[in-house]
Amino acid sequence: MTHASAAWPPRDLLGYGANPPAVEFPDSAHVAVNLVVNYEEGSEYSHFLGDGENDSLTEVQYPFPPDVRDLATESMYEYGSRVGIWRLLRLFEELGVNGTMFACAEAFERNPEVASEAKRLGHDLVSHGYRWEEHWRLSREEEAKRIRIAVESFEKTWGSRPNGWYCRYGPSVNTRELLVEEGGFLYDSDAYNDDLPYFVQVGEKRHLVVPYSLTYNDIQGTRSPGDFLEYLKRGLDELWLEGSRGQPKMMSIGLHPRLVGQAGRTNALREFIEYAQNKGRVWFARRDDIATTWMEQFG
């Protein structure tokens, strides 16, 4: 199945075109909202872990020397694991919604209680890699190894393997083929090119893609939770309108415990969930459920 050409994988600028399929979501929902918790804390690049660099995507973007431990950034990631994730899980339980854990295996290894509690509460799991790392940096052989050890790790911390996969930001040109070769993944989310799932052909296999989005992401709300809230509401309203006209869509909302897990931002997320619940015809769906629904109707 290996492709040496830089033209692999092919691009698709056409998609569903003017006539996307009319999926039927449960309870005739116009929108399927998937709350995605990116649990990366403890698996990010850091001098402490011997990476020779320090990660960012926190409260501040400070160019700390790569050969020195950045204790401030480390502690911001620790907030997500110590406080933010629990605030989010409590919120979801209180409002009766389920979402998806985009989890790094090493992050669960460092805080296995998060894995057991998220599973107990009914959330599902997508592998966000063994670590929070760029797969395009890896050789094909090393990437295949990381996929394998991630699955093995989740089987210990989560209790079962994940059905889906999502790399940090962008996959390598080998990722999707390697996932198909591994054989245990129902879908991947390594694309940002649609509001609906779709199938691609990978070798002999018809493989499902459930696209993700960086648009409705808490990174957009790090300075103003109110702006983030308005952005989410406007996105939901437009997608809901399309759904009411016979073209239901999905809406992925990306969350990070170290960011939206801060109280002021959690409050904006709370208001959005309550807004969507009051609006009606909104299905708060796990990613596995969206994939299964799509497979049943179009597989």
Side-chain angles (χ1 to χ4, degrees), residues 34-36 98-102 122-127 158 160-165 184-189 197 208 210 250 283 285-296:
N34 181 221
L35 300 170
V36 177
N98 283 124
T100 296
M101 299 293 293
F102 273 23
H123 308 294
D124 68 343
L125 172 66
V126 166
S127 175
W158 187 264
S160 60
R161 63 165 298 134
N163 289 321
W165 181 277
F185 291 98
L186 176 64
Y187 64 93
D188 76 70
S189 291
L208 182 65
V210 183
M250 61 178 288
W283 177 35
R286 304 184 314 170
R287 211 161 191 84
D288 280 2
D289 296 331
I290 294 174
T292 300
T293 297
W294 201 264
M295 292 285 288
E296 290 174 347

Tab-separated table of all heavy atoms in Angstrom, residues 34-36 98-102 122-127 158 160-165 184-189 197 208 210 250 283 285-296:
chain	number	residue	atom	x	y	z
A	34	ASN	N	-20.428	18.026	18.421
A	34	ASN	CA	-19.456	17.155	19.071
A	34	ASN	C	-18.483	18.003	19.882
A	34	ASN	O	-17.691	18.753	19.334
A	34	ASN	CB	-18.703	16.328	18.028
A	34	ASN	CG	-17.684	15.371	18.614
A	34	ASN	OD1	-16.586	15.212	18.102
A	34	ASN	ND2	-18.030	14.702	19.705
A	35	LEU	N	-18.572	17.900	21.206
A	35	LEU	CA	-17.663	18.590	22.109
A	35	LEU	C	-16.393	17.757	22.228
A	35	LEU	O	-16.425	16.624	22.701
A	35	LEU	CB	-18.308	18.763	23.481
A	35	LEU	CG	-19.605	19.569	23.512
A	35	LEU	CD1	-20.270	19.456	24.884
A	35	LEU	CD2	-19.344	21.034	23.162
A	36	VAL	N	-15.279	18.309	21.795
A	36	VAL	CA	-14.023	17.570	21.727
A	36	VAL	C	-13.049	18.123	22.764
A	36	VAL	O	-12.636	19.274	22.684
A	36	VAL	CB	-13.398	17.666	20.325
A	36	VAL	CG1	-12.049	16.962	20.296
A	36	VAL	CG2	-14.330	17.079	19.276
A	98	ASN	N	-22.686	14.421	26.428
A	98	ASN	CA	-21.479	13.625	26.238
A	98	ASN	C	-20.683	14.155	25.072
A	98	ASN	O	-21.226	14.709	24.122
A	98	ASN	CB	-21.818	12.154	25.986
A	98	ASN	CG	-22.198	11.418	27.252
A	98	ASN	OD1	-23.276	10.842	27.337
A	98	ASN	ND2	-21.336	11.434	28.242
A	99	GLY	N	-19.378	13.982	25.150
A	99	GLY	CA	-18.495	14.416	24.086
A	99	GLY	C	-17.421	13.387	23.846
A	99	GLY	O	-17.582	12.205	24.155
A	100	THR	N	-16.299	13.848	23.298
A	100	THR	CA	-15.225	12.968	22.876
A	100	THR	C	-13.904	13.431	23.454
A	100	THR	O	-13.599	14.623	23.436
A	100	THR	CB	-15.126	12.945	21.339
A	100	THR	OG1	-16.335	12.393	20.804
A	100	THR	CG2	-13.939	12.136	20.857
A	101	MET	N	-13.128	12.497	23.951
A	101	MET	CA	-11.778	12.780	24.417
A	101	MET	C	-10.806	12.551	23.271
A	101	MET	O	-10.645	11.419	22.794
A	101	MET	CB	-11.416	11.862	25.582
A	101	MET	CG	-12.295	12.000	26.808
A	101	MET	SD	-12.126	13.587	27.658
A	101	MET	CE	-10.439	13.474	28.276
A	102	PHE	N	-10.210	13.635	22.755
A	102	PHE	CA	-9.061	13.518	21.858
A	102	PHE	C	-7.850	13.452	22.787
A	102	PHE	O	-7.284	14.479	23.162
A	102	PHE	CB	-8.946	14.747	20.962
A	102	PHE	CG	-9.736	14.685	19.677
A	102	PHE	CD1	-10.832	13.862	19.543
A	102	PHE	CD2	-9.388	15.487	18.606
A	102	PHE	CE1	-11.563	13.816	18.363
A	102	PHE	CE2	-10.112	15.469	17.416
A	102	PHE	CZ	-11.191	14.616	17.290
A	122	GLY	N	-19.368	8.307	30.229
A	122	GLY	CA	-19.986	8.023	28.939
A	122	GLY	C	-19.385	8.716	27.743
A	122	GLY	O	-19.958	8.669	26.645
A	123	HIS	N	-18.238	9.378	27.917
A	123	HIS	CA	-17.568	9.996	26.780
A	123	HIS	C	-16.824	8.927	25.986
A	123	HIS	O	-16.547	7.844	26.501
A	123	HIS	CB	-16.620	11.087	27.261
A	123	HIS	CG	-17.278	12.090	28.167
A	123	HIS	ND1	-18.272	12.941	27.727
A	123	HIS	CD2	-17.127	12.339	29.493
A	123	HIS	CE1	-18.689	13.690	28.750
A	123	HIS	NE2	-18.018	13.334	29.819
A	124	ASP	N	-16.504	9.232	24.718
A	124	ASP	CA	-15.763	8.258	23.928
A	124	ASP	C	-14.347	8.754	23.678
A	124	ASP	O	-13.971	9.859	24.103
A	124	ASP	CB	-16.493	7.907	22.634
A	124	ASP	CG	-16.557	9.060	21.646
A	124	ASP	OD1	-16.339	10.217	22.061
A	124	ASP	OD2	-16.846	8.822	20.457
A	125	LEU	N	-13.559	7.918	23.012
A	125	LEU	CA	-12.117	8.160	22.896
A	125	LEU	C	-11.673	8.159	21.449
A	125	LEU	O	-11.996	7.254	20.682
A	125	LEU	CB	-11.359	7.072	23.661
A	125	LEU	CG	-9.838	7.042	23.498
A	125	LEU	CD1	-9.194	8.286	24.093
A	125	LEU	CD2	-9.267	5.778	24.145
A	126	VAL	N	-10.903	9.179	21.075
A	126	VAL	CA	-10.158	9.226	19.823
A	126	VAL	C	-8.687	9.383	20.191
A	126	VAL	O	-8.342	10.215	21.042
A	126	VAL	CB	-10.619	10.401	18.935
A	126	VAL	CG1	-9.632	10.655	17.798
A	126	VAL	CG2	-12.012	10.133	18.375
A	127	SER	N	-7.826	8.580	19.575
A	127	SER	CA	-6.397	8.708	19.858
A	127	SER	C	-5.848	9.994	19.254
A	127	SER	O	-6.013	10.256	18.057
A	127	SER	CB	-5.629	7.516	19.288
A	127	SER	OG	-4.233	7.720	19.477
A	158	TRP	N	-7.625	3.206	29.312
A	158	TRP	CA	-9.044	3.403	28.985
A	158	TRP	C	-9.832	2.102	29.131
A	158	TRP	O	-11.028	2.108	29.391
A	158	TRP	CB	-9.169	3.966	27.575
A	158	TRP	CG	-10.546	4.366	27.151
A	158	TRP	CD1	-11.433	3.622	26.438
A	158	TRP	CD2	-11.209	5.617	27.409
A	158	TRP	NE1	-12.595	4.335	26.212
A	158	TRP	CE2	-12.485	5.561	26.803
A	158	TRP	CE3	-10.846	6.784	28.082
A	158	TRP	CZ2	-13.397	6.615	26.858
A	158	TRP	CZ3	-11.749	7.837	28.129
A	158	TRP	CH2	-13.012	7.753	27.535
A	160	SER	N	-9.998	-0.142	26.605
A	160	SER	CA	-10.263	-0.633	25.253
A	160	SER	C	-9.559	0.283	24.266
A	160	SER	O	-9.182	1.412	24.602
A	160	SER	CB	-11.771	-0.679	24.965
A	160	SER	OG	-12.342	0.625	25.078
A	161	ARG	N	-9.422	-0.170	23.047
A	161	ARG	CA	-8.750	0.625	22.028
A	161	ARG	C	-9.674	1.730	21.511
A	161	ARG	O	-10.906	1.603	21.576
A	161	ARG	CB	-8.291	-0.249	20.867
A	161	ARG	CG	-9.419	-0.944	20.106
A	161	ARG	CD	-8.941	-1.491	18.767
A	161	ARG	NE	-8.475	-0.418	17.906
A	161	ARG	CZ	-7.343	-0.470	17.210
A	161	ARG	NH1	-6.575	-1.547	17.249
A	161	ARG	NH2	-6.981	0.559	16.438
A	162	PRO	N	-9.125	2.807	20.977
A	162	PRO	CA	-9.954	3.850	20.356
A	162	PRO	C	-10.419	3.434	18.970
A	162	PRO	O	-9.739	2.681	18.275
A	162	PRO	CB	-9.014	5.055	20.282
A	162	PRO	CG	-7.650	4.447	20.177
A	162	PRO	CD	-7.693	3.171	20.983
A	163	ASN	N	-11.586	3.946	18.563
A	163	ASN	CA	-12.106	3.701	17.220
A	163	ASN	C	-11.633	4.738	16.212
A	163	ASN	O	-11.696	4.509	15.009
A	163	ASN	CB	-13.633	3.685	17.232
A	163	ASN	CG	-14.196	2.470	17.921
A	163	ASN	OD1	-13.668	1.369	17.776
A	163	ASN	ND2	-15.260	2.661	18.684
A	164	GLY	N	-11.209	5.909	16.718
A	164	GLY	CA	-10.816	6.998	15.830
A	164	GLY	C	-9.410	7.493	16.112
A	164	GLY	O	-8.822	7.200	17.164
A	165	TRP	N	-8.871	8.257	15.188
A	165	TRP	CA	-7.507	8.783	15.294
A	165	TRP	C	-7.488	10.231	14.824
A	165	TRP	O	-8.157	10.593	13.849
A	165	TRP	CB	-6.543	7.962	14.439
A	165	TRP	CG	-5.129	8.445	14.524
A	165	TRP	CD1	-4.562	9.468	13.814
A	165	TRP	CD2	-4.111	7.937	15.387
A	165	TRP	NE1	-3.248	9.627	14.189
A	165	TRP	CE2	-2.948	8.696	15.148
A	165	TRP	CE3	-4.077	6.900	16.334
A	165	TRP	CZ2	-1.750	8.459	15.831
A	165	TRP	CZ3	-2.880	6.664	17.001
A	165	TRP	CH2	-1.739	7.435	16.752
A	184	GLY	N	-7.588	-1.518	13.018
A	184	GLY	CA	-8.587	-1.448	14.071
A	184	GLY	C	-9.337	-0.138	14.182
A	184	GLY	O	-10.142	0.040	15.101
A	185	PHE	N	-9.122	0.780	13.246
A	185	PHE	CA	-9.754	2.090	13.333
A	185	PHE	C	-10.969	2.180	12.417
A	185	PHE	O	-10.887	1.861	11.232
A	185	PHE	CB	-8.762	3.205	12.980
A	185	PHE	CG	-7.676	3.379	14.008
A	185	PHE	CD1	-6.435	2.806	13.827
A	185	PHE	CD2	-7.924	4.092	15.167
A	185	PHE	CE1	-5.436	2.950	14.780
A	185	PHE	CE2	-6.941	4.248	16.126
A	185	PHE	CZ	-5.685	3.670	15.936
A	186	LEU	N	-12.083	2.613	12.972
A	186	LEU	CA	-13.303	2.802	12.191
A	186	LEU	C	-13.203	4.051	11.329
A	186	LEU	O	-13.762	4.104	10.236
A	186	LEU	CB	-14.506	2.919	13.138
A	186	LEU	CG	-15.876	3.216	12.528
A	186	LEU	CD1	-16.301	2.066	11.616
A	186	LEU	CD2	-16.916	3.458	13.619
A	187	TYR	N	-12.476	5.063	11.794
A	187	TYR	CA	-12.390	6.345	11.087
A	187	TYR	C	-11.184	7.117	11.573
A	187	TYR	O	-10.570	6.790	12.601
A	187	TYR	CB	-13.654	7.174	11.320
A	187	TYR	CG	-13.858	7.589	12.768
A	187	TYR	CD1	-13.392	8.816	13.243
A	187	TYR	CD2	-14.504	6.745	13.661
A	187	TYR	CE1	-13.565	9.192	14.572
A	187	TYR	CE2	-14.684	7.111	14.989
A	187	TYR	CZ	-14.210	8.334	15.435
A	187	TYR	OH	-14.373	8.693	16.759
A	188	ASP	N	-10.833	8.173	10.852
A	188	ASP	CA	-9.898	9.171	11.363
A	188	ASP	C	-10.513	10.549	11.180
A	188	ASP	O	-11.488	10.733	10.435
A	188	ASP	CB	-8.522	9.070	10.688
A	188	ASP	CG	-8.475	9.638	9.276
A	188	ASP	OD1	-8.576	10.877	9.128
A	188	ASP	OD2	-8.324	8.849	8.320
A	189	SER	N	-9.959	11.511	11.903
A	189	SER	CA	-10.456	12.892	11.845
A	189	SER	C	-9.370	13.852	11.389
A	189	SER	O	-9.406	15.048	11.717
A	189	SER	CB	-11.006	13.309	13.213
A	189	SER	OG	-12.191	12.599	13.522
A	197	PRO	N	-19.174	13.766	7.453
A	197	PRO	CA	-18.249	12.659	7.180
A	197	PRO	C	-18.282	12.281	5.710
A	197	PRO	O	-19.227	12.588	4.987
A	197	PRO	CB	-18.802	11.529	8.060
A	197	PRO	CG	-19.618	12.202	9.111
A	197	PRO	CD	-20.216	13.398	8.432
A	208	LEU	N	-13.540	5.661	6.377
A	208	LEU	CA	-14.365	6.796	6.770
A	208	LEU	C	-13.531	7.916	7.377
A	208	LEU	O	-12.639	7.668	8.202
A	208	LEU	CB	-15.420	6.346	7.788
A	208	LEU	CG	-16.407	7.418	8.274
A	208	LEU	CD1	-17.283	7.907	7.121
A	208	LEU	CD2	-17.278	6.868	9.410
A	210	VAL	N	-14.148	11.483	9.480
A	210	VAL	CA	-15.079	12.356	10.207
A	210	VAL	C	-14.311	13.650	10.477
A	210	VAL	O	-13.556	13.748	11.439
A	210	VAL	CB	-15.560	11.717	11.519
A	210	VAL	CG1	-16.580	12.628	12.211
A	210	VAL	CG2	-16.164	10.336	11.267
A	250	MET	N	-22.745	18.576	10.966
A	250	MET	CA	-22.087	18.374	12.250
A	250	MET	C	-21.247	19.601	12.583
A	250	MET	O	-20.812	20.334	11.684
A	250	MET	CB	-21.216	17.113	12.243
A	250	MET	CG	-20.083	17.113	11.243
A	250	MET	SD	-19.045	15.621	11.334
A	250	MET	CE	-18.174	15.931	12.878
A	283	TRP	N	-28.282	17.666	18.603
A	283	TRP	CA	-27.832	16.395	19.161
A	283	TRP	C	-26.404	16.551	19.642
A	283	TRP	O	-25.498	16.745	18.845
A	283	TRP	CB	-27.915	15.315	18.087
A	283	TRP	CG	-27.414	13.952	18.483
A	283	TRP	CD1	-27.516	13.355	19.704
A	283	TRP	CD2	-26.740	13.015	17.624
A	283	TRP	NE1	-26.945	12.103	19.662
A	283	TRP	CE2	-26.477	11.864	18.404
A	283	TRP	CE3	-26.368	13.031	16.274
A	283	TRP	CZ2	-25.826	10.743	17.882
A	283	TRP	CZ3	-25.727	11.921	15.748
A	283	TRP	CH2	-25.465	10.795	16.546
A	285	ALA	N	-23.456	14.860	20.407
A	285	ALA	CA	-23.084	13.516	19.983
A	285	ALA	C	-21.628	13.216	20.282
A	285	ALA	O	-20.758	14.092	20.210
A	285	ALA	CB	-23.330	13.353	18.486
A	286	ARG	N	-21.372	11.984	20.605
A	286	ARG	CA	-20.004	11.494	20.643
A	286	ARG	C	-19.543	11.251	19.195
A	286	ARG	O	-20.353	11.036	18.301
A	286	ARG	CB	-19.919	10.209	21.451
A	286	ARG	CG	-20.463	10.330	22.858
A	286	ARG	CD	-20.266	9.060	23.653
A	286	ARG	NE	-20.649	7.866	22.900
A	286	ARG	CZ	-20.399	6.632	23.299
A	286	ARG	NH1	-19.761	6.418	24.434
A	286	ARG	NH2	-20.792	5.597	22.559
A	287	ARG	N	-18.254	11.277	18.994
A	287	ARG	CA	-17.744	11.129	17.623
A	287	ARG	C	-18.005	9.718	17.093
A	287	ARG	O	-18.332	9.534	15.915
A	287	ARG	CB	-16.262	11.461	17.586
A	287	ARG	CG	-15.820	12.071	16.247
A	287	ARG	CD	-14.504	12.803	16.389
A	287	ARG	NE	-14.214	13.589	15.208
A	287	ARG	CZ	-14.669	14.832	14.963
A	287	ARG	NH1	-15.472	15.415	15.830
A	287	ARG	NH2	-14.352	15.486	13.859
A	288	ASP	N	-17.873	8.728	17.947
A	288	ASP	CA	-18.178	7.358	17.528
A	288	ASP	C	-19.623	7.240	17.060
A	288	ASP	O	-19.925	6.508	16.109
A	288	ASP	CB	-17.949	6.383	18.684
A	288	ASP	CG	-16.481	6.032	18.869
A	288	ASP	OD1	-15.625	6.561	18.127
A	288	ASP	OD2	-16.179	5.226	19.774
A	289	ASP	N	-20.528	7.951	17.743
A	289	ASP	CA	-21.944	7.871	17.379
A	289	ASP	C	-22.205	8.505	16.019
A	289	ASP	O	-23.032	8.021	15.242
A	289	ASP	CB	-22.805	8.535	18.448
A	289	ASP	CG	-22.722	7.819	19.792
A	289	ASP	OD1	-22.492	6.592	19.778
A	289	ASP	OD2	-22.876	8.472	20.831
A	290	ILE	N	-21.514	9.598	15.722
A	290	ILE	CA	-21.652	10.221	14.408
A	290	ILE	C	-21.132	9.274	13.336
A	290	ILE	O	-21.763	9.064	12.293
A	290	ILE	CB	-20.901	11.568	14.359
A	290	ILE	CG1	-21.561	12.581	15.301
A	290	ILE	CG2	-20.861	12.115	12.931
A	290	ILE	CD1	-20.796	13.887	15.432
A	291	ALA	N	-19.963	8.674	13.601
A	291	ALA	CA	-19.386	7.742	12.636
A	291	ALA	C	-20.307	6.544	12.406
A	291	ALA	O	-20.535	6.124	11.259
A	291	ALA	CB	-18.018	7.267	13.120
A	292	THR	N	-20.852	5.998	13.487
A	292	THR	CA	-21.731	4.839	13.365
A	292	THR	C	-23.005	5.192	12.605
A	292	THR	O	-23.476	4.430	11.751
A	292	THR	CB	-22.087	4.295	14.756
A	292	THR	OG1	-20.887	3.903	15.432
A	292	THR	CG2	-23.006	3.092	14.642
A	293	THR	N	-23.569	6.366	12.907
A	293	THR	CA	-24.758	6.827	12.200
A	293	THR	C	-24.492	6.923	10.701
A	293	THR	O	-25.312	6.512	9.866
A	293	THR	CB	-25.223	8.193	12.749
A	293	THR	OG1	-25.600	8.047	14.111
A	293	THR	CG2	-26.400	8.747	11.952
A	294	TRP	N	-23.327	7.481	10.346
A	294	TRP	CA	-22.982	7.630	8.950
A	294	TRP	C	-22.794	6.271	8.276
A	294	TRP	O	-23.279	6.045	7.147
A	294	TRP	CB	-21.715	8.466	8.803
A	294	TRP	CG	-21.588	9.063	7.438
A	294	TRP	CD1	-20.889	8.569	6.378
A	294	TRP	CD2	-22.236	10.247	6.976
A	294	TRP	NE1	-21.035	9.376	5.291
A	294	TRP	CE2	-21.854	10.430	5.627
A	294	TRP	CE3	-23.061	11.173	7.576
A	294	TRP	CZ2	-22.297	11.506	4.860
A	294	TRP	CZ3	-23.507	12.253	6.829
A	294	TRP	CH2	-23.131	12.404	5.488
A	295	MET	N	-22.124	5.372	8.956
A	295	MET	CA	-21.901	4.039	8.399
A	295	MET	C	-23.231	3.328	8.157
A	295	MET	O	-23.417	2.683	7.128
A	295	MET	CB	-21.037	3.224	9.350
A	295	MET	CG	-19.598	3.702	9.480
A	295	MET	SD	-18.571	3.308	8.063
A	295	MET	CE	-18.398	1.547	8.260
A	296	GLU	N	-24.152	3.456	9.100
A	296	GLU	CA	-25.447	2.771	8.971
A	296	GLU	C	-26.251	3.296	7.788
A	296	GLU	O	-26.955	2.540	7.122
A	296	GLU	CB	-26.235	2.930	10.257
A	296	GLU	CG	-25.671	2.146	11.449
A	296	GLU	CD	-26.390	2.447	12.735
A	296	GLU	OE1	-27.163	3.443	12.764
A	296	GLU	OE2	-26.173	1.728	13.732
